[in-house]
Amino acid sequence: MDQTMTQAASSQDPSRGEPLVAVRNLTKRFPITKGIVLQKEVARVHAVEDVSFEVYPGETLGLVGESGCGKSTTARLLLKLIDATSGNIFFEGTNITKLKRREMRPYRREMQMIFQDPYASLNPRKTVGSIIGAPFTIHKTEGEVKKRVQDLMDRVGMNPEHYNRFPHEFSGGQRQRIGVARALALRPKLIVCDEPVSALDVSIQAQILNLLEDLQDEFKLTYVFISHDLGVVRHISDRIAVMYLGHVVEVAAADELYQNPKHPYTAALLSAVPKGHTDTDLTQRVVLTGDVPSPIDPPSGCVFHPRCPKAREVAGSAGSVPENCRTEFPPLGEVSRSHLCACWYPLKEGESLQKAAHA
Amino acid sequence: MAQEVLLEVKDLHVHFPTADGLVKAVDGLNFKVLRGETFGIVGESGSGKSVTNLTALGLIKRETAQISGEILFKGQDLLKLNSEELRKVRGKELAMIFQDPFACLHPFYRVGDQLVEAILCHEKMPKKQAAERATDLLASVGIPHPKERFRDYPHQYSGGMRQRAMIAMALVHNPDLLIADEPTTALDVTVQAQIIELIEKVKTEFNIGVILITHDLGVIADVAQRVLVMYAGRGAEMGTIDEVFKSPLHPYTWGLLESIPRVDSKGTRLVPIEGSPPSLINKPAGCAFHPRCPHRFEKCDKEIPAMQDRGGGHPEACYLSIEDKKRIWAEREARRTKAAS
């Protein structure tokens, strides 16, 4: 194993063995340029900032956060669809960050992706058979493609006779099944699901979630599951990482995170979800003021400090925040066993953010 | 005291003739909205929730659709008005907020000027006075620095602020009824919470009725007092939030409630509704839900069940006897609690 990986793996849980994927200090900044011929960099979008986490074999790691928080960029970096500005990605202990296209090939078979929009992610001019069969052709696998594609179609709950149909002949849910079959074709170890059910109606969403769970059991898959829907993430994930403005601010087991959030942002995010038919008191809701700041010019120190109710409570007077919140980003440290949180003043057990918000 | 009925939809049918056949988007719908309440309409895509409200606003053209039934707004049938008369009601007494705040503001004009235009379209007053009123409105919907923001273009607003501006625009003439079509679907949860609070505040302050259309049962349960569940252009069940969410009587509602992963507990395997929503051109005979319904029996594919109270306390459209419904729902609840523990 690479030395840097062991060193930085402060959060690594020894009982779970080797992580399948480990990400260390991953950073991605997109340049904003001005000028047509002589392009001058004028600013940078801080999409992902110093992110570290690991994914263990067989688990589902949920990535949640609001739009623009860097969830999808993180996923793309993981799969090396885009190159990181700095930081390292380890797949089964091998550093894949600097691998060339050709060297990356064998790893590509092991990591696949399911996309959000089943209307945009399937080529309308190709038949279902050739879409699902493409991975076999590209990776020049042995055996008869048609038979294997039909097995896959059957496995994801589609009629194998529809082999020669085109994507437009299917409903949204069926198209998403095509996407799942394609991702599954090469029997990968890791599947990154980027909002796979967000575009679907609730009754169909449940079908796809169940399918993903069944496939995980059957093929021992590992998922990185991105969603903005906190109910869906809780349902499917074993562990969850919460992102805000490019940073991972909290990582914990799903139940632990929802019952006992430590980071003020997580607490606010959870309280904002309409609880539906549960008997939660509406006054429990913490409404954050303002919008997510621009990632081009993120706030200094902890990026959440301008909106943080807890920081204002700690500072005591309205409109001010503690010195360290303003100047230094808090490290992602362990607050309790395998519960990581990046906050100078994490919430104590049972502490309500509500009081802070009204103070 | 009986509350004033603001809107009453009676046996509404909206059919669109297309090359493939007649699309029956809305097919016999009845409901009432009272002053001072938030009336929720839930349903999946294609269930006819938006078409109903677009028809009420006269935004569906007679040339392209066959419309029958009545939509009574404060006793006046909106479907009988000509476009001139309708224009006097629309935007004044009857206002609408749309789903996508990015598409609903004109990108070339300043937000303030768009509000002024909305004001001047129903009321004669000096432009300066209208501008003052627009600034006040921006302030009342919680836009910081309304004076400066008045001169901004829509692209300078964030998603949440645009939706606030849309709400301000809907409020310019103190409407009696506000129709909000998926007002928070395009927004993040924390911003969604802000907008939901704002709509609540507006409702109480102006004492108006609100129709909230959404596919998110959580949002409905949080803000609405009564709810209508729609399926394939018809009502499946209608009642207060407690009635529909605590003792639902229609198998479709059961399926919806069981399909949703819950935030408050890890839960167990979801119970999806089998199959997918029907084509609105070749609707199944009888109850449109019967091909997906696990409790169907002979009668279901013969005749369309009427929306009526069958003894359960609120109107629903399912042939099962009330005893069966109560028993099946209790069984499904028990199975779920057992699985969760």
Side-chain angles (χ1 to χ4, degrees):
Chain A
M1 194 193 283
D2 200 297
Q3 206 192 355
T4 43
M5 178 173 159
T6 349
Q7 262 173 11
S10 57
S11 61
Q12 211 160 310
D13 188 348
S15 63
R16 316 190 63 160
E18 300 272 307
L20 180 70
V21 181
V23 168
R24 294 287 161 247
N25 311 99
L26 200 62
T27 299
K28 177 70 189 178
R29 292 178 182 160
F30 293 102
I32 301 171
T33 54
K34 219 174 179 177
I36 299 160
V37 184
L38 295 168
Q39 295 205 332
K40 202 173 82 186
E41 191 181 306
V42 288
R44 282 174 155 198
V45 177
H46 298 242
V48 173
E49 281 289 302
D50 195 18
V51 162
S52 301
F53 61 85
E54 47 283 305
V55 191
Y56 292 95
E59 79 166 348
T60 301
L61 177 76
L63 274 184
V64 288
E66 298 177 271
S67 38
C69 74
K71 321 184 279 288
S72 292
T73 308
T74 309
R76 267 143 224 235
L77 288 168
L78 262 187
L79 298 181
K80 270 178 65 66
L81 296 177
I82 48 178
D83 284 322
T85 310
S86 69
N88 291 297
I89 306 154
F90 299 89
F91 188 80
E92 294 190 308
T94 321
N95 191 341
I96 58 167
T97 328
K98 297 268 150 41
L99 291 190
K100 304 221 167 52
R101 261 181 98 95
R102 191 175 295 271
E103 297 168 328
M104 193 57 207
R105 268 268 163 98
Y107 293 99
R108 293 242 179 260
R109 300 181 61 147
E110 309 283 353
M111 28 176 49
Q112 293 289 330
M113 189 157 180
I114 300 171
F115 298 90
Q116 172 171 6
D117 187 348
Y119 293 84
S121 59
L122 302 174
N123 186 338
R125 300 176 62 162
K126 293 236 154 84
T127 62
V128 173
S130 63
I131 289 172
I132 304 176
F136 294 122
T137 329
I138 293 165
H139 287 274
K140 300 185 184 71
T141 52
E142 313 254 309
E144 200 205 342
V145 172
K146 186 172 177 183
K147 172 83 180 52
R148 293 171 73 174
V149 169
Q150 290 189 327
D151 284 348
L152 275 168
M153 288 176 73
D154 187 44
R155 186 60 207 83
V156 298
M158 297 180 69
N159 186 347
E161 285 166 22
H162 294 164
Y163 184 83
N164 278 321
R165 294 205 180 175
F166 288 92
H168 76 262
E169 295 174 75
F170 294 92
S171 64
Q174 291 291 57
R175 285 180 202 217
Q176 201 55 301
R177 287 176 199 270
I178 301 173
V180 173
R182 175 174 64 182
L184 206 62
L186 296 167
R187 295 287 136 85
K189 289 188 175 129
L190 176 76
I191 297 186
V192 175
C193 314
D194 190 356
E195 306 257 15
V197 294
S198 306
L200 307 175
D201 275 320
V202 276
S203 69
I204 309 300
Q205 175 177 312
Q207 294 174 3
I208 299 294
L209 288 174
N210 280 349
L211 174 68
L212 289 173
E213 284 181 331
D214 290 344
L215 295 173
Q216 181 166 39
D217 288 344
E218 192 175 333
F219 300 108
K220 305 274 169 283
L221 296 169
T222 306
Y223 292 139
V224 171
F225 194 97
I226 299 174
S227 182
H228 67 277
D229 184 327
L230 292 146
V232 168
V233 169
R234 171 165 207 182
H235 176 81
I236 200 145
S237 309
D238 300 306
R239 287 192 310 134
I240 295 171
V242 182
M243 293 189 72
Y244 182 75
L245 217 57
H247 292 267
V248 169
V249 293
E250 187 161 5
V251 187
D255 281 338
E256 165 77 5
L257 187 88
Y258 279 74
Q259 280 155 19
N260 195 10
K262 295 287 185 199
H263 198 285
Y265 175 67
T266 314
L269 188 67
L270 292 177
S271 82
V273 182
K275 296 297 182 299
H277 47 301
T278 62
D279 303 294
T280 333
D281 189 355
L282 262 186
T283 54
Q284 288 295 313
R285 183 176 283 169
V286 185
V287 176
L288 290 176
T289 47
D291 288 306
V292 181
S294 157
I296 296 171
D297 183 21
S300 63
C302 170
V303 285
F304 187 54
H305 86 255
R307 301 176 78 196
C308 182
K310 175 81 185 177
R312 286 200 295 275
E313 187 203 33
V314 171
S317 62
S320 72
V321 289
E323 181 70 22
N324 46 359
C325 291
R326 252 185 313 115
T327 51
E328 205 181 334
F329 191 85
L332 188 66
E334 201 160 271
V335 280
S336 62
R337 207 181 154 276
S338 46
H339 188 151
L340 308 171
C341 174
C343 179
W344 293 118
Y345 306 99
L347 300 174
K348 294 179 196 72
E349 189 134 6
E351 183 184 345
S352 151
L353 196 60
Q354 184 65 22
K355 211 175 92 233
H358 284 252
Chain B
M1 190 188 82
Q3 280 168 300
E4 181 194 347
V5 176
L6 277 178
L7 187 82
E8 184 171 5
V9 171
K10 282 187 187 166
D11 196 31
L12 181 71
H13 293 259
V14 184
H15 295 176
F16 299 94
T18 67
D20 296 327
L22 197 60
V23 176
K24 295 176 180 167
V26 178
D27 208 11
L29 187 68
N30 297 284
F31 66 87
K32 277 181 198 169
V33 184
L34 310 175
R35 187 181 283 279
E37 77 167 348
T38 303
F39 182 75
I41 302 182
V42 282
E44 297 179 275
S45 23
S47 61
K49 29 187 214 311
S50 293
V51 169
T52 305
N53 292 287
L54 292 174
T55 312
L57 288 162
L59 294 176
I60 285 176
K61 282 194 187 133
R62 294 274 177 174
E63 300 89 76
T64 53
Q66 305 163 358
I67 305 171
S68 69
E70 283 176 74
I71 301 180
L72 301 171
F73 177 63
K74 299 205 286 186
Q76 186 180 28
D77 190 351
L78 292 175
L79 295 177
K80 294 215 171 69
L81 300 183
N82 63 31
S83 54
E84 200 54 45
E85 293 163 327
L86 192 61
R87 200 174 298 150
K88 291 200 174 104
V89 179
R90 188 170 56 201
K92 194 168 183 205
E93 297 162 52
L94 186 61
M96 185 152 181
I97 315 169
F98 295 90
Q99 171 172 1
D100 189 352
F102 297 86
C104 289
L105 289 168
H106 197 295
F108 290 0
Y109 295 94
R110 299 177 197 276
V111 174
D113 292 346
Q114 297 189 46
L115 278 170
V116 168
E117 190 191 351
I119 293 171
L120 294 180
C121 148
H122 287 289
E123 242 172 283
K124 278 213 157 54
M125 61 165 85
K127 233 182 170 170
K128 209 168 166 198
Q129 200 187 334
E132 271 166 32
R133 174 117 154 250
T135 319
D136 290 347
L137 274 165
L138 285 179
S140 72
V141 294
I143 291 193
H145 316 295
K147 276 220 173 71
E148 292 85 61
R149 286 303 196 163
F150 181 90
R151 292 188 54 77
D152 276 356
Y153 288 93
H155 74 265
Q156 290 165 298
Y157 277 40
S158 70
M161 284 170 68
R162 280 180 228 202
Q163 198 57 286
R164 283 171 194 270
M166 287 302 301
I167 294 174
M169 195 178 288
L171 293 177
V172 287
H173 297 291
N174 299 341
D176 293 301
L177 181 67
L178 179 67
I179 300 177
D181 190 352
E182 306 259 10
T184 59
T185 309
L187 306 172
D188 282 317
V189 274
T190 56
V191 182
Q192 169 174 293
Q194 295 169 359
I195 297 295
I196 287 176
E197 283 212 341
L198 177 62
I199 293 178
E200 275 294 292
K201 190 183 122 202
V202 161
K203 190 195 80 185
T204 2
E205 264 175 29
F206 292 73
N207 186 31
I208 59 175
V210 175
I211 299 182
L212 181 73
I213 306 168
T214 176
H215 66 275
D216 189 334
L217 290 164
V219 171
I220 288 276
D222 268 11
V223 297
Q225 282 79 52
R226 290 193 307 129
V227 61
L228 165 71
V229 181
M230 282 188 77
Y231 186 77
R234 291 180 64 90
E237 184 163 7
M238 179 162 62
T240 64
I241 291 298
D242 270 0
E243 285 167 350
V244 173
F245 284 84
K246 297 252 171 65
S247 45
L249 297 173
H250 196 284
Y252 176 61
T253 320
W254 299 339
L256 273 187
L257 292 174
E258 288 181 351
S259 301
I260 304 164
R262 296 167 62 151
V263 182
D264 55 333
S265 67
K266 170 89 186 160
T268 45
R269 202 174 162 76
L270 301 171
V271 187
I273 304 174
E274 294 302 320
S276 41
S279 142
L280 296 174
I281 296 174
N282 299 311
K283 264 196 226 177
C287 169
F289 187 61
H290 87 264
R292 302 175 76 189
C293 180
H295 310 292
R296 60 173 173 262
F297 57 106
E298 313 86 67
K299 203 175 173 187
C300 294
D301 59 358
K302 304 278 183 316
E303 226 176 304
I304 299 179
M307 184 90 166
Q308 63 190 60
D309 187 350
R310 290 179 172 76
H314 61 271
E316 31 86 13
C318 174
Y319 282 130
L320 287 170
S321 74
I322 193 72
E323 292 76 34
D324 281 347
K325 282 173 185 152
K326 285 193 169 143
R327 181 179 49 79
I328 296 169
W329 175 243
E331 279 169 16
R332 289 174 83 150
E333 277 283 88
R335 195 172 59 209
R336 191 163 60 174
T337 4
K338 201 176 136 211
S341 59

